[in-house]
Each structure stands twice: as C-alpha cells, then as structure tokens.
Amino acid sequence: MLARRIPLWIVGVLATAALVSAGAISSASAAPGHVSGVSGGHHARISHVLLISVDGLHQQDLTWYVKHFPGSTLASLVRRGVEYSNAMTPVPSDSFPGMVGQATGGDPRVTGVYYDDTWNHAVFPAGTTKCSGPPPGGEVSYTEALDLDPLALDAGQGLSGLPGSILQMTSNPRDVINPAALPVAPGTCKPIYPNTYLKVNTIFEVARQHGLRTAWSDKHPAYLILSGPSGKGVQDFFTPEINSQAIGFPAGEDWTSDNNATMQYDSFKVQAVLNWIDGFNHSRTRHVGVPAIFGMNFQTVSTAQKLPTSDGLTGGYLPGGKVPGPLLVRALNFINAKVGAMVAEIKAQGLAGSTAIIISAKHGQSPRNPKDLARVPDGPIIDGINAAWKAAHPGAGDLVIFATDDDVMLLWLSDRSQAAADFAKHYLLTHSAAGNNIKGQPITVSASGLQKVFAGAASAAYFGVPRSDPRHPDVFGIVQHGVVYTGGMSKIAEHGGAGREDRHVPILVVGPGVGQGQAVGAAVETTDIAPTILRLLGLNPSALQAVRIEHTPVLPGLSG
C-alpha cells in the first residue's frame, strides 16, 4: 500500500474487577469518596475504573476461553460481572478510531479520526514552514513515524539500559514526538499534535475537570490523542514504542514480529498498571494516588492471530475458525495471568470495593478460518487505477494520492469530483487481483477483492459527514470476507474492516454494585464505554461532546 500500515491493535476490554475467587470483592476495602460535580450530587461508590483493551479479542474467544478454563480469572470475572455478548466496534475497526471511540463515545464522523494513518485535504504537509495559499493536503500519520527515533523502545528519549529501564520513560509523549513529522495547520502554520487533531473531548479531560487523577499506557506516543484537545486529559502516559527494534531479537524485528517479544512488551505496560494500582506514577518514583481512570492495551492476542507461526507454535485458529490454535491459546493464557495480577493487586491494596474493571477490544481480526484467507498486495491495484486514470486524462498525475489498506480499502484522491471517485470505483469493481492463500498458493480475487465500494458522496454518506469534509476517505471499500491487503505471507489476519469478525468484540464490566453474572444480548457499541465510565464514577456522561452529538448511551443493564 502507499501508506505503511502498522500491524495491530487491540481489543478494549471493559471489566470492573474486584474479585477473582469467592469473596474477592471486599466491602471493607477503600471507601468511595464523594465526587463534586456529579449529576444529582450523589455519593459515588466506585472511585476507580481500570479499562483494559485486548487488541484482536473476539467475543467468541472470550466465550471459548471461559468454557475451557472455568477456574481462570477471566471466567471468574464473567461470572461476577455484566457481559455484553453483542458488542461492536466503530467502522473502520482500526486501533486508533477504536480506542478514541472508547475514550470519547464518538464514531469517526464526530471525532474526525478514521485511522492512524490518513490523508487530510485541508492541511499542509509535515515539514511545511511557510503556509501560503490554499492547503494542498497532506498525510496525517499518528504512528511510530512521529517518534524522535521510531526504532527505539523509548521513542528516542535516550534512556540507557533498555529494556530494563523503560519504566523511566517520560510521562509526556510530546517529549518524544518529532514536530517536523506532524501535519501543519493552515491557520497557524503550526504542527498538529494528535490531541489537537481530535474534534471532541475525552473521558480523561472530564475526570481532570473534576480533580480526578488519570493515567494510560499504549503502543505509540501518538496516543497522546487521548489527552483530548485541551492536552490536559491524561496526567501520566506510558507509551513505549511497539514498532521499535525488539531488544534481544534479530535486527529488523519489532515487538510484533515474535509473540514472545510481544508478551515481553505487554509486560512492561502491565508493570505500569500495577504501579498505578499501588498509588505510584508509572515509573514508581513518586506516590501520587490511585487514578480514577487508568488502563492499558494488550497486543499479545493480536500478534498471535496475525503471525503464521511464532516460537514453534502455529498462529491463528484451527480449521473452521472457532478454536484458537496453540499460539493463540498461549496468548489468552498470558492475558488471563496478567489480568489476574491486576485483580490480585487491586484486592491487596484494599481497592476491590471501589474499583470497576472494564475489558473490551479496539478491534477483532479477520479471517478466523484459515481457508478463507486471501492475501492480496494492494500496490498493483493502486498502480492500475493511476495508470488507467492517466491514460484517460493525458497530462494528469496520479488519481490515488494516499491509501491505507488492511482488510479494508481507504483511498484519498487528487481529484475530489464525483466523476473521479466513480472512475476509481469502476476500476476496482471491474478488475481482478492476484494473491495467495493460507498455503501460499496463487489465487485470483474478483473486483480487486472488494464486495462493495462507496465513492465520493456515497463515502461521505456512509460516514455521515458532508461531501466537503476534508478527512473522510474519497473511496471506501469493504472487502470480500478473508481478503487481507498484504504482500508475501507474513500475515494470516488483519483488522480495519466492516465485517463482523473485525467488529464483534467483548465488553465485560465488573465491579461493586454493577451486577453479577448477567449476560446482556442487546446490541451495543464500544463507544458506549465512555459514558459508562463517567456514570460509574458518578460523573455526567453528557459532559462528553460526542455523547451529546451522537446520543451515545450508557451500557444497559448495570445495577444502580
């Protein structure tokens, strides 16, 4: 593809956890405090919400694991919490809009965030110092490309003794973001940091407005976006770079290239969460108090789903797509153990009676069934569109100026007319593309691997924005099931699309007074997590701008 896509992300897993075994939630634990500014001014029982996102985790995976490991921490949480079995992520089901949705309550049309690597027709390109005339448009890459050093675990901070010293990483991602890599705003001619690109506020900002402490750990410094437009939402970030060189592994391998490396990487973030539970900052150098909203994302399940093999184990699912393969089972066991450590620490600190745990996912992964896989390089498809366009329009340049393609196709065009968008759509639907299957055997897919294409005004309508909106993709393609736009044979699954396997993720809420052993089958979306967190803390969900615009509801069926 034209834009290098970063493999990953995660499932946001909501679980209010206070108990693992019988009697784990202790009514004698830390007493909840009164929260000023609470809707109705009531006494809030829950003072802390731990949000856990497990990238790639499907609802099916959680159900399978609980059935086969009934004595596990995850099974205990399901028995003691409220499980939403029909939860969907926003579309596109990428990590960035997925996590932003959980933190704002908004879909891309409201947040303005469609993917982590996109194009905006109304900005100046990175590096622009003189903003004269109309903006030509430019790439908006909120990936590892922003880091001072994308190959360093500390993103270029310059820590010695890595990876052992990684917890000393800065709590402010701005310290390790290269402003020269940021798109430039036309009005001010200043770099657009990720948080200022976001159109609406976040749960972290609302919490801070009420004097509550916040913390978050994620895979890139670009997750500064969660601090919201004010830049003041998250007090303590921990954002080691996942796409950096994995220390102790062969040159050229990042922390997603080997599942053992991913587990090690996730363990760094788990330690930060344990430090927060103990009331310290992420580096455990200052005692600051337990955050009201805090958490992390896991990558281990995602890489176990994507890698064909790792550490001598087969990745993905067994034939049929319902049973996790050996690498994925190991990954789920890892998640269970690490979540168990968090739950145990919450109990040990006397916080079980005042803490809710939410477990969910930013996205799922597709395809689950190995036989459905069709790996298709997107470069020849885009080259074909551009060649056909220039042949039909002598003297014209490339039509496709930017693309982000995983198991979805997002194209931005140099010509935004409906005729140009229809040209691209017609080409896509009338040309086949070459690829390979799970065994590496050559295959051919019809219609460029797509089942439906929304072009121009139809793309804008799909997302619910005006045709003139500069951020939405000019062409949005929904793939045939199983198609993954990738070259070679290094991946067996991806995310980003609109299919059920990409979007059907768990939401599990566990905590004092929220309900016990309940299964809710109503259709919900992971954006509902944001207003639910505020409600759990006794804050007003309508303080979120996206909630007011989209009327995002609190998750149904919670007691109290």
Side-chain angles (χ1 to χ4, degrees):
M1 57 196 165
L2 294 183
R4 179 183 177 276
R5 279 285 311 118
I6 307 171
L8 313 163
W9 238 103
I10 119 165
V11 224
V13 182
L14 278 147
T16 26
L19 45 192
V20 183
S21 53
I25 290 187
S26 167
S27 60
S29 55
H34 184 79
V35 180
S36 61
V38 170
S39 176
H42 65 273
H43 191 75
R45 183 180 181 189
I46 292 173
S47 301
H48 315 284
V49 178
L50 170 60
L51 175 58
I52 303 170
S53 176
V54 182
D55 286 8
L57 188 67
H58 302 103
Q59 172 61 36
Q60 171 187 292
D61 299 327
L62 181 61
T63 300
W64 180 91
Y65 193 83
V66 167
K67 177 180 179 181
H68 289 84
F69 298 90
S72 65
T73 295
L74 292 176
S76 176
L77 293 175
V78 168
R79 288 193 297 269
R80 297 172 182 273
V82 181
E83 183 180 23
Y84 297 87
S85 60
N86 193 18
M88 296 289 174
T89 71
V91 176
S93 58
D94 180 55
S95 297
F96 228 49
M99 193 65 244
V100 166
Q102 291 185 36
T104 64
D107 289 317
R109 74 177 182 93
V110 169
T111 65
V113 177
Y114 290 85
Y115 231 79
D116 60 2
D117 200 0
T118 61
W119 184 271
N120 187 325
H121 290 283
V123 302
F124 284 90
T128 301
T129 56
K130 294 182 179 180
C131 302
S132 58
E139 182 180 2
V140 180
S141 177
Y142 292 143
T143 66
E144 76 272 18
L146 293 190
D147 301 353
L148 291 177
D149 182 355
L151 297 180
L153 181 60
D154 65 1
Q157 183 176 340
L159 295 174
S160 60
L162 291 171
S165 61
I166 189 57
L167 285 168
Q168 298 172 28
M169 188 175 178
T170 178
S171 62
N172 185 356
R174 281 184 68 119
D175 296 340
V176 289
I177 287 177
N178 177 12
L182 294 165
V184 176
T188 63
C189 207
K190 293 182 178 180
I192 305 172
Y193 281 85
N195 62 292
T196 58
Y197 196 70
L198 184 60
K199 289 184 173 182
V200 293
N201 64 342
T202 73
I203 54 175
F204 299 102
E205 289 179 292
V206 175
R208 291 299 301 134
Q209 288 168 354
H210 291 279
L212 302 178
R213 187 162 185 82
T214 57
W216 186 255
S217 181
D218 224 302
K219 61 183 179 179
H220 307 300
Y223 277 85
L224 173 67
I225 194 170
L226 300 181
S227 259
S230 72
K232 299 178 180 179
V234 179
Q235 290 172 284
D236 187 0
F237 271 111
F238 180 54
T239 57
E241 178 53 64
I242 193 167
N243 288 113
S244 62
Q245 170 64 47
I247 300 168
F249 291 81
E253 289 194 4
D254 67 18
W255 299 91
T256 71
S257 301
D258 184 289
N259 196 241
N260 261 329
T262 313
M263 289 193 292
Q264 183 181 354
Y265 170 86
D266 277 347
S267 295
F268 303 145
K269 293 187 292 185
V270 170
Q271 187 56 56
V273 172
L274 295 175
N275 289 342
W276 288 327
I277 293 171
D278 291 347
F280 289 89
N281 60 349
H282 80 260
S283 59
R284 207 175 182 88
T285 56
R286 290 184 298 118
H287 196 278
V288 293
V290 182
I293 304 176
F294 66 113
M296 65 167 284
N297 84 293
F298 281 98
Q299 290 294 301
T300 297
V301 164
S302 181
T303 62
Q305 292 167 327
K306 287 184 176 184
L307 294 170
T309 60
S310 187
D311 313 320
L313 300 172
T314 302
Y317 297 82
L318 299 183
K322 295 182 179 180
V323 179
L327 187 66
L328 185 50
V329 172
R330 188 185 72 170
L332 292 169
N333 284 333
F334 172 83
I335 300 299
N336 180 73
K338 295 304 182 183
V339 172
M342 296 177 195
V343 173
E345 196 65 18
I346 287 170
K347 182 181 178 183
Q349 291 295 329
L351 300 172
S354 60
T355 301
I357 301 172
I358 297 176
I359 299 176
S360 186
K362 297 174 184 175
H363 58 77
Q365 213 91 257
S366 181
R368 288 195 302 247
N369 193 344
K371 77 175 183 59
D372 294 340
L373 177 64
R375 288 177 287 222
V376 178
D378 62 342
I381 297 172
I382 294 166
D383 290 344
I385 296 174
N386 287 333
W389 175 256
K390 286 185 279 191
H393 301 81
D398 288 342
L399 178 59
V400 179
I401 51 176
F402 195 80
T404 293
D405 308 322
D406 284 329
D407 65 348
V408 65
M409 181 171 282
L410 292 83
L411 305 181
W412 285 265
L413 308 180
S414 59
D415 182 337
R416 300 201 82 194
S417 68
Q418 188 61 44
D422 288 340
F423 182 95
K425 174 181 178 179
H426 180 265
Y427 180 94
L428 290 168
L429 294 178
T430 56
H431 285 75
S432 60
N436 64 77
N437 62 17
I438 187 68
K439 297 180 180 179
Q441 299 166 333
I443 59 171
T444 299
V445 296
S446 63
S448 306
L450 299 167
Q451 60 168 294
K452 189 147 191 168
V453 177
F454 298 88
S459 177
Y462 181 91
F463 290 107
V465 296
R467 175 74 178 87
S468 59
D469 180 277
R471 302 190 185 198
H472 77 84
D474 297 306
V475 176
F476 180 69
I478 297 177
V479 301
Q480 300 165 21
H481 176 67
V483 168
V484 173
Y485 291 113
T486 183
M489 296 185 291
S490 62
K491 284 193 283 190
I492 58 173
E494 254 298 355
H495 57 271
R500 185 173 179 84
E501 290 185 5
D502 273 10
R503 300 186 61 211
H504 188 203
V505 300
I507 296 181
L508 175 64
V509 182
V510 186
V514 303
Q516 183 166 323
Q518 297 181 36
V520 178
V524 297
E525 189 169 300
T526 53
T527 52
D528 300 346
I529 291 171
T532 300
I533 288 175
L534 295 187
R535 176 63 59 82
L536 289 171
L537 291 170
L539 302 176
N540 188 351
S542 293
L544 289 169
Q545 294 163 325
V547 166
R548 297 199 301 271
I549 295 169
E550 295 196 333
H551 307 290
T552 313
V554 171
L555 289 166
L558 297 177
S559 302

